[in-house]
Amino acid sequence: IQSFKRQHPGIEMQLIEDSSEGVSEIVESGRADLGFIQMPAGKSTFETRTLITEAFVLLVSSSHPLARKRDVRLRQLAGEPFVFYKGRARDTAMEACRKAGFEPQIACETGELETVRALVAAGLGLAIVPRLAVVQLPRTLKCVRLVEPRIQRQIAAIWRRGSRLSPAAGEFLSRVKAGLAGRLPSADSGLA
C-alpha cells in the first residue's frame, strides 16, 4: 500500500477490513473494485486470481511441551484446548480436526490475531493458524508444522465478473502479487 501510494499520490484508496464473506459482499455491491479473500469465493459472480496457497501451522506457547517438536500430527492434539481465529480460517481448522477424528475443545474464539497470539502465549490453548499469521513471533510463542493432514488455504483477489479492473486496481493487484512473491516465508522458516 505504501509503495502504491508513493507512486500514485493522486489516487484515493480506501482499505476496508472484513471477513471473506464481508469482503465478497462489499465487492459484489460495487463499494470496492477489488477484494482479497480466502477461497472459495462462494458465488460465481466474481472473477478470481489466486495469489498464494499457504499451509496452516500450530501456534503454541514456548513453554508448552509441543514447542520442542518440529512437526505434529493433527490427531495428537485431541484433548488440547484451542484458541480459534474467527472466520474461514476457523472453519478450515475445525473441519480438519473433525476429519482427524476429534471435536476440538474451544477455550476461546476471537477475530483479532493479536488476541489469539496473546492467549496462546498465556497458555490458554493452542491455535491452528495460517502460516502468514506467524511471521515475526515473539519468544513467548513457537510455530510447529502440522502434518497428516496438511491443512492449506488459498488467498485470491476477487472482482465483479464481467467488469474490468480499473487501471488503478489492476496496478495495485500487480503490486500485491509482486510483494507477496518477495515476502512469503519459506515453508520451514521460523518453525520449531
Side-chain angles (χ1 to χ4, degrees):
I1 293 172
Q2 188 178 39
S3 81
F4 181 82
K5 289 296 288 178
R6 212 176 10 250
Q7 288 291 122
H8 305 283
I11 295 176
E12 184 177 327
M13 176 184 257
Q14 181 182 21
L15 179 66
I16 305 168
E17 187 178 10
D18 208 327
S19 66
S20 291
E21 288 75 16
V23 169
S24 295
E25 289 173 14
I26 290 166
V27 171
E28 186 176 33
S29 73
R31 289 182 32 220
D33 296 328
L34 182 64
F36 301 93
I37 65 165
Q38 178 175 321
M39 292 297 283
K43 296 182 180 181
S44 61
T45 57
F46 299 115
E47 297 287 342
T48 63
R49 181 167 300 149
T50 300
L51 300 172
I52 61 168
T53 298
E54 70 170 326
F56 279 66
V57 296
L58 182 66
L59 186 61
V60 300
S61 166
S62 50
S63 63
H64 193 285
L66 289 173
R68 293 186 296 276
K69 300 275 189 188
R70 181 166 172 79
D71 53 47
V72 66
R73 288 177 176 84
L74 191 57
R75 69 176 177 267
Q76 293 175 267
L77 305 178
E80 291 278 356
F82 284 89
V83 176
F84 278 105
Y85 184 41
K86 290 182 180 178
R88 287 194 182 166
R90 174 202 181 276
D91 298 344
T92 300
M94 292 283 286
E95 181 182 336
C97 290
R98 290 175 179 142
K99 284 182 179 177
F102 69 96
E103 187 67 29
Q105 175 190 337
I106 302 172
C108 182
E109 294 183 57
T110 178
E112 298 297 326
L113 184 56
E114 286 307 314
T115 303
V116 170
R117 290 170 141 194
L119 294 172
V120 171
L124 239 61
L126 312 175
I128 298 171
V129 295
R131 182 74 179 93
L132 285 175
V134 297
V135 175
Q136 298 179 345
L137 287 179
R139 290 186 183 133
T140 55
L141 294 168
K142 293 291 181 187
C143 177
V144 181
R145 184 179 21 256
L146 284 169
V147 296
E148 293 182 31
R150 185 177 168 134
I151 308 166
Q152 294 182 316
R153 73 174 183 170
Q154 289 185 319
I155 302 296
I158 62 169
W159 59 94
R160 288 187 298 180
R161 184 175 299 283
S163 67
R164 298 185 81 186
L165 283 176
S166 67
E171 170 67 17
F172 183 73
L173 178 56
S174 294
R175 284 181 182 263
V176 167
K177 287 174 55 178
L180 285 171
R183 293 183 183 255
L184 284 178
S186 70
D188 293 334
S189 66
L191 294 179

